[in-house]
Amino acid sequence: MSHVLVDSNVILDVVTDDPLWGGWSGTMLSRCADGGMLVINPIIYAEVSVGFKRIEELDEVLPADSFRRDPLPWEAGFLAGKCFLEYRRRGGARRSPLPDFYIGAHAAVAGMALLTRDPRRYRTYFPHLNLLAPPE
């Protein structure tokens, strides 16, 4: 497990000291950091940014020396679109691809594990993705 893409929900659990998930998310972040590189992308950065007034505050929480910042690969955009098409075929109501499709596709095409506490959609649309998630 050398590179782990970290879902925004895990980061937000730690930042907000979530009473239900904060402990699990903090422990998993530490384990993954000890075992390799934590990675985020612009979608994850954007989702976490909602709780901050200034970019400097966000960058203190997501320092570049702790979270490598990778761009979203073009192949991930393509895969996210295909997953979104399947979501619509299954009756999904959203009109544009959900952030989880981009995040899951990024991890899949880059061969990274994905650390998330909400694996349901990822398991449905990315069945071969290596998920680091709580037991269901």
Side-chain angles (χ1 to χ4, degrees), residues 1 4-5 7 24 28 32 100 103-104 107-108 112-136:
M1 177 179 17
V4 176
L5 190 64
D7 200 355
W24 182 88
M28 290 302 293
C32 291
D100 288 353
I103 293 167
M112 289 187 273
L114 176 63
L115 174 60
T116 184
R117 70 158 159 80
D118 188 16
R120 213 172 40 251
R121 184 173 289 126
Y122 296 116
R123 283 199 175 105
T124 299
Y125 294 98
F126 304 96
H128 301 291
L129 187 58
N130 179 15
L131 293 174
L132 306 172
E136 291 184 84

Side-chain angles (χ1 to χ4, degrees), residues 9-18 21-27 29:
N9 56 37
V10 172
I11 297 167
L12 290 170
D13 289 343
V14 174
V15 170
T16 64
D17 198 21
D18 183 273
W21 290 106
W24 182 88
S25 292
T27 298
L29 267 177

Side-chain angles (χ1 to χ4, degrees), residues 75-92 94 96-106 108-109 121-129:
E75 298 85 357
F78 183 83
L79 180 56
K82 296 304 172 197
C83 291
F84 175 69
L85 185 60
E86 180 61 24
Y87 160 83
R88 293 286 295 166
R89 285 185 183 137
R90 293 179 181 204
R94 299 281 179 109
S96 61
L98 302 167
D100 288 353
F101 292 141
Y102 292 107
I103 293 167
H106 184 177
V109 302
R121 184 173 289 126
Y122 296 116
R123 283 199 175 105
T124 299
Y125 294 98
F126 304 96
H128 301 291
L129 187 58

